[in-house]
Amino acid sequence: MRYALIVSYDGTDFAGWQRQKNARTVQETLEGAAEFIFSVPVKITGSGRTDAGVHARGQVCHLDAETSVPAERLRECFNRLLPPDVRVLQSAAAEGFDCTRGAKRKTYRYFAYYAPCEYPLYERYSVRLGERPNVEAMRAAAELLVGEHDFKAFCASGSSAKTSVRTLYSVEVKEERSGDAYRYEIAVCGGGFLYNMVRILAGELFAVGCGKGTEGIKAAFAAGNRKSLGKTMPARGLLLDRVEYDASPFGERKE
Amino acid sequence: MRYALIVSYDGTDFAGWQRQKNARTVQETLEGAAEFIFSVPVKITGSGRTDAGVHARGQVCHLDAETSVPAERLRECFNRLLPPDVRVLQSAAAEGFDCTRGAKRKTYRYFAYYAPCEYPLYERYSVRLGERPNVEAMRAAAELLVGEHDFKAFCASGSSAKTSVRTLYSVEVKEERSGDAYRYEIAVCGGGFLYNMVRILAGELFAVGCGKGTEGIKAAFAAGNRKSLGKTMPARGLLLDRVEYDASPFGERKE
């Protein structure tokens, strides 16, 4: 029987999604709980990997196992065994579902803030900017990224992707004032993403917001390399918010 | 020379504000940095204590010391020495200022959420509720708390306060939907607070939201004891947001 899970985790103390030697990962942690529940080793497949330190609200994964426990109750079985920084938010029967191949759209959110010094209460899930960016300039630059493009320049080396052509459906920039600080959110929705793509893209948008201009983005698309782009933003500001499917085993998620 | 500081901290790994033996506290951490900066031991006085695990965005404190460093630059001196979970947001010269006696209003915020299971990304700064509360019922109950009352019943034992009469200027309840979760914030602004008062008050408001009715509050005021009140909410949902003064050494804080 195939089951699908929606998983949320605080990435701070994980070396990312993918199982690896001598490091605590989300996949290994979930597989450890699964082995206890199903009494046999169970492989858990994620919709995609997240890097060390990246957080997730709606990572989707699937597994094949046999159990008499009703699918919706698997959530509780996992949560009784998992450490506090990872939780199964939903579980469902998912015959014929493939969380990786079936993924149609993913939404990532990048969080940052501008303040005169680090704010301890913001540092876990966002990154401080050295200057206050101009969000109108960021929004104009974001428009250049929307659509189907070869995002080869927005990809860290080490990627094994066959093609670097990807489609972004939307790139939204929000600013919110909170006391003496300004908080920023870049929401990126796309059909798929290359390695470090959102963190590179966010770094460039913040650079544009701080006066860099959009020539770097145009040059990056033209040259297909990262030379004209700014820095990769730190992992802790990144959240995998949701993964969407044509036929989700969970029904529609409320927003 | 007297200086005033606005301090923010993530309370998770602190045993509260007040210096004590064999425990890491905010006061001791700040005093450690101050001793390094001023080359002599310096006492740092806070506007009030916060309990173990309680967070602060705008705790105010003062100290007396001699230095040739301009007052505004003391912030950077502290922040270069402090661990990441505590930061000085502002520093100012403050002749004649007393952060404790001069405090006219304090604002605390209590954060909670309702979701079918714990959300790892919410757990550090808020507390999960077992049921979804009715915010209209909570708001009606909050009105009973506003004004000058004897809050004796809303005080944990061990308080050394001379009188338990306090004035609350406002108690506001907000609800916000976020995916499958509902997030709650209770903002309490008052002239002063008793030991655990906000956490007891928040616990009672959430209980009222979950169907308890307002008889418990009325009985607590009438009897002057906690028997009719619900549980004290956990520390990690509580934030000391700001402390206000008639003449603030920092000028007016932007909101």
Side-chain angles (χ1 to χ4, degrees), chain B residues 15-21 23-28 49-50:
Chain B
W17 168 268
Q18 194 177 33
R19 183 186 270 275
Q20 51 186 283
K21 275 189 189 159
R24 182 177 184 257
T25 65
V26 182
Q27 187 181 36
E28 174 199 36
R49 304 169 193 176
T50 51

Side-chain angles (χ1 to χ4, degrees), chain A residues 227-242:
Chain A
K227 283 179 192 160
S228 65
L229 296 178
K231 63 170 183 176
T232 305
M233 295 294 286
R236 70 180 186 283
L238 186 60
L239 172 77
L240 171 56
D241 186 33
R242 67 188 300 196

Side-chain angles (χ1 to χ4, degrees), chain A residues 6 8-11 55-57 75 79 84-90 116-125 177-180 182 239 252-255, chain B residues 6 8-11 55-57 75 79 84-90 116-125 177-180 182 239 252-255:
Chain A
I6 298 180
S8 176
Y9 42 90
D10 180 319
H55 312 288
R57 186 167 85 153
R75 176 182 77 194
N79 290 342
D85 51 356
V86 53
R87 279 288 175 275
V88 173
L89 305 189
Q90 284 186 255
C117 68
E118 286 87 18
Y119 272 35
L121 297 169
Y122 293 172
E123 281 287 310
R124 196 172 178 92
Y125 303 117
R177 188 169 181 167
S178 178
D180 294 330
Y182 292 86
L239 172 77
E252 235 166 281
R253 184 175 109 166
K254 305 159 214 136
E255 282 302 333
Chain B
I6 299 180
S8 176
Y9 43 90
D10 180 319
H55 313 289
R57 187 166 86 154
R75 177 183 76 193
N79 289 343
D85 51 355
V86 54
R87 279 288 174 275
V88 173
L89 305 189
Q90 285 186 256
C117 68
E118 286 86 18
Y119 273 35
L121 297 169
Y122 293 170
E123 281 288 310
R124 196 172 178 91
Y125 303 118
R177 187 168 180 167
S178 178
D180 294 330
Y182 293 85
L239 172 77
E252 234 167 280
R253 183 177 111 166
K254 306 159 213 134
E255 282 303 334

Side-chain angles (χ1 to χ4, degrees), chain B residues 1-3 34 37-38 40-43 63-67 74:
Chain B
M1 187 62 187
R2 176 156 290 195
Y3 298 98
I37 295 168
F38 302 109
V40 290
V42 171
K43 181 174 159 51
L63 59 96
D64 297 307
E66 299 308 320
T67 177
L74 278 178

Side-chain angles (χ1 to χ4, degrees), chain B residues 1-5 30-44 62-75 77-78 81 88 91-92:
Chain B
M1 187 62 187
R2 176 156 290 195
Y3 298 98
L5 310 175
L30 288 167
E31 288 179 351
E35 180 162 355
F36 195 93
I37 295 168
F38 302 109
S39 305
V40 290
V42 171
K43 181 174 159 51
I44 296 193
H62 71 240
L63 59 96
D64 297 307
E66 299 308 320
T67 177
S68 57
V69 175
E72 322 76 66
R73 297 217 43 232
L74 278 178
R75 177 183 76 193
C77 299
F78 272 98
L81 297 164
V88 173
S91 56

